[in-house]
């Protein structure tokens, strides 16, 4: 939305990581990878842990159903828009459920940090692909390219740049694809969100768009969420 600064929106990635780390540490779900990325761990109240579990479980259920459907020899791909510091790729890889290729796109400032962490942590780096394949890491651009994983530093609102960046990786747009938008579109102007969905529709003929957004601002979880957004100086139509 027009009242938001990009820096504040980028901060939501850190906040999402913090809540997922808290829930994982409490045993709500298995994620041993959040600790590699988090800077300042903090314990969240039970209502936030429960809400975070619901979010993670919902996304995981749809992704795993997509990846398990049909002929297992069929190559499938996931494109995570506004991926932030999310660890879904590594969790799927650990479980032996990763797609043929996984793409993550976010602001270059975000992907630069993620690139540094992945390059330094052997357990993460080794998941990018077998050693015989070339793994290219460009810390200046905040990008990683491997046969099964691409981290791309692009503002998702710039459709032409987004499209060009994906095509530069050699992406096959005819493959069954999930485009994942997890608490991303709500931080854009409505016309920008519409443009992303329209681009996805015309660019990927065998795709589904999986989105998870904040709703119900007046229940207990919603009120806590809005209070947190205000602390982060993030304003939107649902927290006025």
């Amino acid at each position: 939305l027009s009242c938001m600064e990009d820096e504040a929106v980028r901060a939501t990635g850190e906040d999402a990581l913090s809540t997922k780390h808290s829930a994982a540490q409490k045993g709500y779900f298995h994620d041993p990878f959040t600790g590699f990325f988090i800077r300042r761990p903090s314990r969240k109240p039970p209502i936030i842990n429960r809400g975070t579990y619901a979010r993670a479980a919902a996304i995981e259920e749809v992704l795993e159903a997509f990846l398990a459907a049909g002929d297992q020899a069929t190559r499938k791909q996931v494109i995570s828009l506004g991926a932030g510091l999310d660890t879904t790729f590594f969790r799927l890889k650990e479980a032996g459920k990763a797609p043929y290729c996984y793409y993550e796109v976010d602001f270059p400032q975000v992907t630069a940090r993620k690139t540094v962490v992945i390059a330094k942590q052997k357990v993460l780096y080794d998941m990018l692909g077998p050693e015989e394949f070339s793994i290219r890491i460009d810390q200046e651009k905040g990008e990683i390219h491997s046969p099964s994983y691409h981290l791309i530093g692009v503002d998702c609102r710039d459709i032409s740049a987004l499209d060009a960046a994906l095509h530069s990786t050699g992406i096959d747009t005819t493959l069954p694809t999930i485009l994942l938008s997890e608490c991303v579109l709500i931080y854009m102007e409505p016309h920008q969100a519409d443009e992303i969905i329209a681009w996805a529709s015309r660019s990927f003929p065998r795709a589904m768009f999986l989105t998870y957004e904040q709703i119900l601002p007046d229940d207990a979880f919603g009120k806590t969420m809005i209070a947190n957004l205000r602390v982060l100086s993030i304003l939107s139509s649902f927290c006025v």
Side-chain angles (χ1 to χ4, degrees), residues 20-45:
K20 288 181 178 180
H21 182 72
S22 173
Q25 291 296 104
K26 285 294 184 180
Y28 282 84
F29 51 83
H30 175 72
D31 190 338
F33 304 107
T34 56
F36 290 114
F37 297 97
I38 197 162
R39 286 173 171 166
R40 293 178 293 276
S42 62
R43 295 177 60 182
K44 306 298 182 184

Side-chain angles (χ1 to χ4, degrees), residues 16-226:
L17 174 67
S18 178
T19 58
K20 288 181 178 180
H21 182 72
S22 173
Q25 291 296 104
K26 285 294 184 180
Y28 282 84
F29 51 83
H30 175 72
D31 190 338
F33 304 107
T34 56
F36 290 114
F37 297 97
I38 197 162
R39 286 173 171 166
R40 293 178 293 276
S42 62
R43 295 177 60 182
K44 306 298 182 184
I47 192 170
I48 294 298
N49 286 331
R50 292 197 298 270
T52 301
Y53 163 75
R55 169 179 173 173
I59 296 294
E60 182 176 340
E61 181 175 350
V62 177
L63 281 177
E64 291 191 357
F66 166 75
L67 294 171
D71 185 352
Q72 293 306 293
T74 300
R75 293 177 171 181
K76 300 173 184 176
Q77 60 194 4
V78 176
I79 303 172
S80 181
L81 303 172
L85 300 170
D86 183 63
T87 57
T88 299
F89 167 75
F90 298 105
R91 290 192 292 112
L92 289 172
K93 195 77 172 179
E94 180 192 48
K97 299 177 180 179
Y100 166 70
C101 202
Y102 200 104
Y103 298 81
E104 293 188 320
V105 183
D106 210 318
F107 289 109
Q109 296 91 332
V110 176
T111 61
R113 175 180 164 192
K114 198 167 192 175
T115 297
V116 170
V117 174
I118 293 172
K120 287 183 177 180
Q121 298 294 337
K122 187 176 186 301
V123 66
L124 302 178
Y125 182 87
D126 287 349
M127 289 184 174
L128 299 181
E131 291 183 3
E132 61 265 27
F133 289 111
S134 173
I135 298 173
R136 295 186 292 111
I137 297 180
D138 188 329
Q139 294 190 11
E140 184 176 339
K141 289 184 177 180
E143 294 195 352
I144 296 175
H145 299 286
S146 80
S148 61
Y149 176 79
H150 295 274
L151 178 63
I152 301 170
V154 169
D155 184 342
C156 293
R157 297 168 299 186
D158 187 340
I159 300 297
S160 60
L162 171 62
D163 191 71
L166 286 171
H167 278 88
S168 72
T169 69
I171 190 171
D172 184 348
T173 58
T174 67
L175 295 182
T177 304
I178 272 191
L179 293 106
L180 172 60
S181 169
E182 190 175 349
C183 298
V184 173
L185 300 183
I186 201 166
Y187 299 121
M188 299 181 183
E189 293 282 358
H191 74 88
Q192 294 171 330
D194 289 345
E195 288 168 1
I196 287 177
I197 295 171
W199 162 80
S201 177
R202 66 176 178 265
S203 300
F204 298 91
R206 302 174 66 193
M208 63 184 295
F209 199 100
L210 173 58
T211 184
Y212 186 97
E213 301 290 356
Q214 300 93 321
I215 61 172
L216 302 178
D218 296 320
D219 65 11
F221 179 79
K223 290 176 181 177
T224 303
M225 174 187 65
I226 288 174

